[in-house]
Amino acid sequence: MKPAKLHYWILGCFSMVLCCGCTSEKFLLSDSHPHAWEKLYLAHHWPVTVCKMSANDCQDPPEYWTIHGLWPNRGEECNRTWHFNVTEIKDLMSDMRCYWPDVLHSSQNCTHFWRHEWEKHGTCAATLQILNSQKKYFGKALELYQHLDLNSSLLKAGIKPGSTYYQMTAIKEALTSFYGVTLKIQCLPPEEGEKAQTIGQIEFCFSKKLELRNCTESTGGSERMQADLELGTGELSVCDDTLPTYYPSQVQSHK
Ligand SMILES: *[C@@H]1O[C@H](CO)[C@@H](O)[C@H](O)[C@H]1NC(C)=O
Ligand SMILES: *[C@@H]1O[C@H](CO)[C@@H](O)[C@H](O)[C@H]1NC(C)=O
Ligand SMILES: *[C@@H]1O[C@H](CO)[C@@H](O)[C@H](O)[C@H]1NC(C)=O
Ligand SMILES: *[C@@H]1O[C@H](CO)[C@@H](O)[C@H](O)[C@H]1NC(C)=O
Ligand SMILES: *[C@@H]1O[C@H](CO)[C@@H](O)[C@H](O)[C@H]1NC(C)=O
């Protein structure tokens, strides 16, 4: 295993331990209904920022938003015997490679990233009939992604990667007016000596009917924490509305 991946996983495990420890009520709840979830997050990430977080095996990250995953707000690894089988999604392969690449391991084929997403999140999403196979799960995520067309929406709002700083509230307002719902936007906090945060991830929320819904409407107290745990994005956190926001266009060499 490459150090970058390991790093990602360790952070993920760490936050999982923290969350299970601090919300015992939640734990009981999810224990009695282990796989009950009520919304899905479609997470897009910005490959340039992902590479900035861990530039291990990133080569020419795409300069467009790619899919990180489609995640139920509750539950993970809901069926450990339902293994990922790349043959089942062979018809989706060209879109998968283009829109759902393994940004952190660009020199490898993506199957282990997709396997991870399927086994951790897909097996839980599969309680919905429209998502109850690997082909349906990955296919639907691709379809939602293409339909949302985040790349174009940002461009239309004049938000382009580069050296300009944006106000977080301006990005949020533009996206909210475009989609009619609030999204969840995550950033890499400022590094030491910097004052700007870096935008890294944008999540859309969907109902079980796969209709867009507000991400802010909370149904349970510790939902946000639970969601963060499922993302495995240990270094990203909800953006600070008061900080200037950088939308980087090229990976800086951090090696
Ligand atoms: C888990 O997946 C296997 C293989 O697809 C399937 O046969 C089984 O019914 C699933 N179990 C549950 C509880 O859904
Ligand atoms: C993977 O899926 C293909 C196509 O559905 C099937 O023929 C094959 O047996 C599956 N492989 C495994 C190991 O389940
Ligand atoms: C990707 O790697 C897996 C093994 O890790 C292999 O089974 C599969 O055929 C490879 N796929 C492609 C498209 O190279
Ligand atoms: C996002 O933008 C990139 C680059 O312009 C393009 O290749 C890709 O097809 C776009 N994605 C979608 C879903 O339109
Ligand atoms: C989202 O929230 C706004 C108010 O914050 C509300 O006007 C709108 O109807 C909500 N949209 C959906 C789809 O629930």
Side-chain angles (χ1 to χ4, degrees):
M1 196 184 307
K2 292 274 171 70
K5 183 100 185 181
L6 189 63
H7 184 52
Y8 231 44
W9 283 3
I10 288 172
L11 284 166
C13 296
F14 184 59
S15 49
M16 185 151 45
V17 168
L18 276 181
C19 290
C20 292
C22 62
T23 56
S24 52
E25 200 181 291
K26 179 70 177 196
F27 184 73
L28 289 175
L29 188 68
S30 42
D31 213 27
S32 52
H33 303 283
H35 312 318
W37 54 267
E38 64 272 347
K39 70 182 176 196
L40 284 166
Y41 293 92
L42 180 67
H44 297 63
H45 56 188
W46 182 245
V48 179
T49 303
V50 175
C51 286
K52 189 178 167 183
M53 290 164 66
S54 179
N56 228 38
D57 182 20
C58 283
Q59 287 144 21
D60 301 322
E63 273 211 34
Y64 52 90
W65 290 85
T66 61
I67 304 174
H68 186 175
L70 180 65
W71 304 318
N73 66 316
R74 234 173 254 143
E76 53 183 59
E77 291 191 44
C78 295
N79 185 340
R80 287 171 202 250
T81 61
W82 198 349
H83 298 296
F84 179 68
N85 178 348
V86 76
T87 314
E88 302 227 337
I89 58 165
K90 61 179 191 310
D91 298 344
L92 306 173
M93 214 37 85
S94 58
D95 281 352
M96 287 295 291
R97 288 218 182 85
C98 187
Y99 303 131
W100 205 328
D102 185 353
V103 174
L104 280 180
H105 306 94
S106 51
S107 64
Q108 295 171 23
N109 89 31
C110 301
T111 48
H112 60 268
F113 177 44
W114 300 333
R115 168 177 296 117
H116 171 78
E117 291 298 318
W118 167 255
E119 291 178 355
K120 183 167 177 188
H121 306 287
T123 54
C124 299
T127 51
L128 278 193
Q129 194 153 17
I130 36 173
L131 301 174
N132 69 358
S133 73
Q134 299 181 43
K135 189 167 181 183
K136 287 188 199 172
Y137 172 74
F138 288 103
K140 185 53 83 175
L142 289 167
E143 191 185 308
L144 294 172
Y145 166 86
Q146 279 170 304
H147 181 70
L148 292 169
D149 199 2
L150 179 58
N151 290 320
S152 315
S153 323
L154 285 168
L155 273 178
K156 281 180 198 151
I159 300 164
K160 304 184 186 92
S163 51
T164 333
Y165 291 112
Y166 292 93
Q167 285 194 317
M168 194 53 209
T169 48
I171 297 179
K172 278 187 178 165
E173 274 162 26
L175 290 171
T176 301
S177 76
F178 204 92
Y179 292 104
V181 285
T182 53
L183 312 181
K184 181 174 166 193
I185 307 181
Q186 293 195 292
C187 288
L188 198 57
E191 282 177 18
E192 259 183 69
E194 287 180 353
K195 60 178 191 308
Q197 59 190 347
T198 307
I199 193 166
Q201 187 148 293
I202 298 182
E203 293 161 37
F204 290 79
C205 294
F206 287 90
S207 68
K208 285 185 142 179
K209 291 180 182 157
L210 300 192
E211 286 161 350
L212 270 178
R213 52 167 283 175
N214 286 318
C215 286
T216 42
E217 278 166 21
S218 181
T219 41
S222 53
E223 192 173 5
R224 177 183 297 280
M225 183 164 270
Q226 178 74 7
D228 284 341
L229 133 77
E230 280 164 28
L231 312 190
T233 48
E235 295 178 6
L236 290 174
S237 54
V238 174
C239 302
D240 183 333
D241 283 349
T242 66
L243 291 178
T245 305
Y246 183 41
Y247 181 16
S249 76
Q250 281 301 326
V251 199
Q252 317 289 319
S253 191
H254 272 257
K255 294 183 186 177

